[in-house]
Amino acid sequence: MSTSRPRPRFDPTINYYQVLDVPLGASREEITRAYRALMRLTHPDNFVEPDQRAKAEERAKLINAAYSVLSKPEIRSAYDAQMRTTVVSDALMQRYTGNTPGHGAQARPRSQPASARTARAQRKAHRSAVLQILLVTSAFAGSLIVIIAASYLTWQMITSVL
């Protein structure tokens, strides 16, 4: 019986690099240094009032989660891959729909019309998408026509020889 490692668990909607305020290529030492500095500032024991202490506890949980993901190389690489996938899909969504990443079509109330700039960007994205679909379709159709013509000519040559 083989034992498999559990999949690393993290929240892909949270940018742990921003939580710790470190760059994407930060070394483990930089991550540890940033973690310790943030924990010194936001540790719940530093606050007396209950509401401030509760906020500090939530912030400390987030900082701990960020450190636990970014300090372990295998979890960090899985997290980075997930972040790259999210960034690419958000960029594609923005390009073809005009919506901001992470927001669906409901980001703007229906009663409020799109601004002229947004409408132009959406029309441009739509034209670009349609053009790309037409180019791919025509390339496929063009190659299909060439194949049919070549087959017909080959058939004609074979029948004329026989």
Side-chain angles (χ1 to χ4, degrees), residues 89-162:
S89 66
D90 284 348
L92 287 172
M93 184 64 72
Q94 167 102 27
R95 179 174 180 193
Y96 290 113
T97 65
N99 292 329
T100 55
H103 297 88
Q106 303 299 326
R108 184 185 336 100
R110 291 188 183 270
S111 61
Q112 180 184 4
S115 68
R117 182 177 182 184
T118 303
R120 280 194 304 273
Q122 286 177 339
R123 283 193 302 270
K124 184 178 178 182
H126 179 72
R127 282 192 303 266
S128 174
V130 169
L131 180 63
Q132 289 177 4
I133 290 170
L134 287 175
L135 285 174
V136 168
T137 305
S138 65
F140 177 73
S143 62
L144 188 61
I145 291 171
V146 169
I147 291 171
I148 291 171
S151 300
Y152 178 75
L153 290 175
T154 305
W155 178 257
Q156 289 299 319
M157 289 173 51
I158 290 173
T159 55
S160 67
V161 170
L162 294 176

Side-chain angles (χ1 to χ4, degrees), residues 4-8:
S4 63
R5 288 184 148 172
R7 287 182 48 137

